[in-house]
């Protein structure tokens, strides 16, 4: 009886916490398709707000995807080989490099953005292009790719595989493409999902780095929250959810398959 | 190409990118912080200037409150979820962790929907006859937003720690006659200590630096990230903004370094 009571109490508490996290998201989704949120869902269901947001902000959504995939491309091309080198080389220098590239996780985005602005703000063309935002996103997401790939290397004996291939006469480049990358695939996949998700949602850096011509989706969201009616802001949030939730689900499925990472 | 030069070639692009877009800019930030009218002493302004100090204290109090509340909530839920198997458990775990990648701005907006002028809480309190309760734009709204932000992060760490607990210890305590509460207090909670420090540090650092949520909600509340933002964009006071950023960065970094030394994990402190 007593156990039953404790169980019910804990269950109710946990449900309450889950409701705190989920209910506002559901409210937002509902508000985004309600004709008049003040009068409630009984005023009817509509897609007019979503359409309006799309017309106003389609370019920010597009730019977000361009930046997210460019960030992914850079972190893949630069991060995966670097993770391999950091793993096989080891030693103090490698650890120092790893520490430094991990620092952006610990420093608020606002500070990194200010640092970039103070350093490159005077370089007009670069400052005005979306490449400026890309630089910020790469710095911020790189550690996720490198660490995720290194985590895989730590679980398999990549050094022996590498040496085995070398003893068979394979060149370093061949070994990288045919041995290292295929073995690192789970880490590359997890890292890629993380990089794209974080880049799509990144606000702290992006808000500081954006210009009127380089707005991303989260920047548009902040605009909409400040100036639009609740329905429009909600419809915009709904579009964001549609983009980001599949990525989150994929990440959770991946994490379940490999409980260690 | 030798193994050694191949490894260097693999590493070079990362080093170049990191130096160009992180190391040099951060060094520049530190230099600019000392270029104000007060010079290097500008760094002391954060504790000496009354307005900045009040903001710093505000931010630290808010971040500490967030940390404590998150730890309590997450621990109760995490112990429950790891100790019981029931239908719908996986869905519940997913619900508790999925907001992990929501940006701070979105969380700010969700708090407006919950506690803003047309918010759910206001509607409920009005129906209950208590008048319309609106607190999204006050420090309580910010607190709720930070809570929303840290619960998913902390719950994952604590669930992992609970999973590693040895149920034998609790059984032993129970068989020796300890009450359920005593078992929790003397066996379970001490064993979770490192996880508390680790995830608490993450919650604290995150709340210190959270800009997005504050940007959406904190029109009238002074917290450090908002102060830095207004000093930089509205007052064009680059030196102060830079020195405050360096201070904030140092606090967050120190907290996360502590967390990492105790847990070995890394979690992003975005907001």
């Amino acid at each position: 009886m007593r156990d039953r009571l404790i169980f019910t109490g804990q269950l109710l508490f946990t449900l309450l916490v889950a409701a705190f996290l989920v209910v506002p998201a559901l409210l937002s989704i509902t508000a985004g398709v309600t004709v008049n949120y003040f009068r409630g869902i009984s005023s009817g269901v509509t897609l007019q707000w979503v359409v309006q947001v799309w017309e106003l902000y389609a370019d920010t959504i597009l730019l977000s995807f361009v930046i997210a995939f460019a960030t992914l491309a850079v972190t893949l091309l630069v991060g995966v080989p670097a993770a391999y080198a950091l793993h096989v080389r080891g030693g103090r220098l490698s650890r120092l490099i790893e520490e430094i590239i991990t620092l952006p996780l610990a420093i608020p985005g606002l500070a990194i953005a200010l640092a970039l602005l103070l350093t490159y703000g005077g370089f007009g063309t670069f400052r005005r292009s979306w490449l400026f935002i890309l630089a910020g996103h790469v710095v911020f997401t790189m550690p996720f790719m490198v660490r995720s790939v290194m985590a895989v290397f730590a679980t398999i004996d990549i050094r022996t595989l590498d040496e085995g291939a070398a003893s068979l006469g394979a060149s370093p480049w061949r070994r990288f493409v045919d041995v290292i990358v295929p073995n690192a695939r789970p880490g590359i996949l997890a890292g890629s999902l993380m990089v794209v998700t974080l880049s799509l949602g990144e606000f702290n850096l992006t808000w500081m780095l954006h210009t009127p011509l380089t707005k991303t989706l989260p920047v548009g969201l902040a605009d909409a929250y400040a100036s639009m009616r609740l329905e429009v802001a909600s419809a915009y949030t709904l579009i964001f959810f549609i983009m980001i939730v599949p990525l989150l689900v994929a990440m959770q499925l991946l994490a379940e398959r490999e409980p260690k990472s | 190409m030798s193994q050694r030069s191949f490894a260097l070639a693999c590493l070079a692009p990362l080093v170049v990118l990191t130096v160009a877009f992180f190391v040099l800019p951060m060094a520049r930030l530190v230099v600019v912080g000392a270029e104000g009218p007060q010079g290097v002493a500008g760094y002391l302004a954060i504790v000496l200037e009354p307005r900045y100090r009040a903001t710093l204290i505000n931010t630290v109090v808010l971040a500490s409150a967030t940390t404590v509340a998150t730890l309590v909530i997450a621990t109760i839920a995490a112990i429950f979820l790891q100790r019981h198997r029931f239908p719908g458990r996986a869905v519940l775990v997913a619900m508790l962790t999925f907001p992990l990648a929501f940006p701070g701005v979105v969380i700010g907006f969700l708090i407006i929907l919950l506690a803003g002028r047309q918010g759910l809480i206001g509607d409920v309190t009005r129906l209950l006859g208590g008048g319309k309760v609106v607190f999204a734009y006050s420090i309580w709204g910010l607190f709720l937003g930070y809570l929303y932000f840290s619960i998913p992060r902390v719950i994952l760490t604590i669930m992992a720690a609970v999973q590693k607990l040895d149920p034998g210890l609790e059984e032993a305590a129970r068989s020796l006659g300890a009450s359920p509460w005593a078992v929790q207090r003397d066996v379970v909670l001490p064993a979770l200590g490192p996880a508390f420090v680790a995830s608490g540090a993450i919650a604290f650092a995150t709340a210190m630096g959270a800009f997005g949520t504050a940007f959406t909600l904190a029109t009238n509340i002074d917290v450090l990230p908002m102060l830095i933002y207004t000093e930089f964009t509205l007052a064009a006071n680059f030196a102060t903004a830079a020195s405050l950023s360096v201070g904030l960065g140092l606090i967050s970094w120190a907290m996360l370094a502590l967390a990492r030394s105790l847990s070995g994990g890394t979690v992003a402190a975005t907001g």
Side-chain angles (χ1 to χ4, degrees):
Chain A
M1 181 60 205
R2 192 198 154 92
D3 284 356
R4 191 91 211 129
L5 221 69
I6 293 175
F7 176 82
T8 315
Q10 286 177 316
L11 176 64
L12 283 177
F13 181 84
T14 311
L15 285 175
L16 200 68
V17 179
F20 166 53
L21 298 179
V22 172
V23 167
L26 293 178
L27 282 178
S28 157
I29 292 167
T30 321
V33 293
T34 306
V35 173
N36 185 329
Y37 187 63
F38 193 66
R39 286 196 282 130
I41 195 94
S42 57
S43 63
V45 173
T46 177
L47 281 180
Q48 59 163 323
W49 309 117
V50 177
V51 173
Q52 191 180 331
V53 167
W54 186 259
E55 281 165 359
L56 277 172
Y57 290 105
D59 52 337
T60 72
I61 297 165
L62 184 70
L63 182 64
S64 277
F65 274 108
V66 169
I67 292 180
F69 285 104
T71 308
L72 177 61
V74 177
T75 50
L76 281 174
L77 289 174
V78 174
V80 177
Y84 163 69
L86 289 174
H87 181 78
V88 293
R89 273 184 58 92
R92 207 177 293 166
L93 186 67
S94 294
R95 270 205 301 280
L96 180 71
I97 294 176
E98 206 192 324
E99 277 302 313
I100 292 173
I101 64 154
T102 315
L103 267 182
L105 299 189
I107 294 171
L110 195 57
I112 301 175
L114 279 190
L116 282 169
L117 275 173
L118 291 169
T119 313
Y120 296 108
F123 294 68
T125 325
F126 178 46
R127 168 75 186 94
R128 280 191 294 273
S129 78
W130 60 271
L131 294 173
F132 196 48
I133 299 177
L134 176 68
H137 283 208
V138 166
V139 166
F140 173 59
T141 55
M142 185 65 84
F144 290 95
M145 180 63 82
V146 173
R147 296 199 136 222
S148 164
V149 174
M150 285 182 80
V152 174
F153 288 156
T155 58
I156 53 176
D157 193 355
I158 200 75
R159 221 182 277 243
T160 310
L161 287 175
D162 201 22
E163 275 161 19
S167 70
L168 294 171
S171 69
W173 173 244
R174 277 297 301 256
R175 270 143 47 202
F176 183 73
V177 172
D178 292 340
V179 178
I180 310 300
V181 170
N183 275 296
R185 204 175 290 146
I188 294 176
L189 186 59
S192 302
L193 277 171
M194 201 72 197
V195 166
V196 172
T197 314
L198 288 173
S199 172
L200 282 177
E202 214 297 319
F203 174 77
N204 300 346
L205 286 159
T206 321
W207 179 262
M208 299 298 294
L209 302 182
H210 89 277
T211 68
L213 292 175
T214 55
K215 284 185 186 175
T216 66
L217 187 136
V219 169
L221 280 175
D223 271 1
Y225 296 159
S227 55
M228 302 279 172
R229 52 186 293 175
L230 205 57
E231 291 87 345
V232 179
S234 294
Y236 199 8
T237 312
L238 175 62
I239 292 180
F240 176 72
F241 282 158
I242 293 172
M243 284 165 45
I244 209 104
V245 169
L247 291 166
L248 293 179
V249 172
M251 272 196 306
Q252 267 189 353
L253 292 178
L254 202 68
E256 264 164 44
R257 231 178 34 193
E258 290 160 85
K260 262 176 297 174
S261 72
Chain B
M1 197 192 272
S2 79
Q3 177 61 41
R4 196 183 146 74
S5 50
F6 182 74
L8 286 177
C10 282
L11 209 49
L14 180 74
V15 172
V16 171
L17 267 183
T18 307
V19 168
F21 296 118
F22 182 65
V23 178
L24 285 180
M26 288 317 283
R28 178 93 190 104
L29 188 70
V30 174
V31 171
V32 170
E35 277 177 352
Q38 296 156 293
V40 181
Y43 276 104
L44 296 175
I46 188 169
V47 279
L48 293 182
E49 183 109 7
R51 192 167 72 88
Y52 297 160
R53 188 172 54 216
T55 304
L56 178 69
I57 293 172
N58 248 350
T59 317
V60 170
V61 169
L62 185 58
S64 312
T66 308
T67 308
V68 173
T70 308
L71 284 179
V72 172
I73 293 170
T75 307
I76 297 175
I79 291 182
F80 172 71
L81 288 168
Q82 286 294 19
R83 287 296 152 82
H84 300 282
R85 292 292 179 273
F86 50 89
R89 179 185 170 274
V91 179
L92 203 50
V93 174
M95 281 162 91
L96 288 167
T97 50
F98 92 108
L100 198 65
F102 285 6
V105 259
V106 171
I107 292 174
F109 181 63
L110 295 182
I111 298 302
I112 291 176
L113 286 174
L114 210 54
R117 281 181 276 277
Q118 298 181 45
L120 183 67
I121 293 177
D123 288 346
V124 172
T125 54
R126 202 183 46 203
L127 285 177
L128 294 175
K132 199 167 185 165
V133 175
V134 174
F135 61 87
Y137 309 96
S138 75
I139 197 143
W140 293 105
L142 207 51
F143 173 66
L144 211 58
Y146 288 1
L147 212 54
Y148 193 106
F149 203 88
S150 25
I151 287 175
R153 282 154 223 271
V154 170
I155 225 166
L156 277 178
T157 318
I158 301 204
M159 276 179 70
V162 173
Q163 196 172 24
K164 281 188 202 127
L165 286 183
D166 179 5
L169 287 175
E170 286 167 65
E171 271 163 39
R174 222 169 290 137
S175 70
L176 291 170
S179 70
W181 169 237
V183 174
Q184 295 294 325
R185 188 192 53 207
D186 298 331
V187 179
V188 176
L189 293 183
L192 293 178
F196 286 154
V197 179
S199 55
I202 287 158
F204 184 84
T206 315
M208 285 295 294
F211 173 62
T213 317
F215 185 76
T216 317
L217 296 176
T219 36
N220 294 314
I221 315 157
D222 280 329
V223 283
L224 214 42
M226 284 307 286
L227 178 66
I228 294 171
Y229 177 70
T230 49
E231 285 292 328
F232 187 80
T233 50
L234 302 180
N237 198 344
F238 297 162
T240 309
S243 64
L244 294 178
S245 302
V246 171
L248 181 60
L250 278 178
I251 297 174
S252 309
W253 170 80
M255 290 311 286
L256 286 164
L258 175 71
R260 205 161 49 123
S261 71
L262 285 157
S263 74
T266 330
V267 177
T270 63

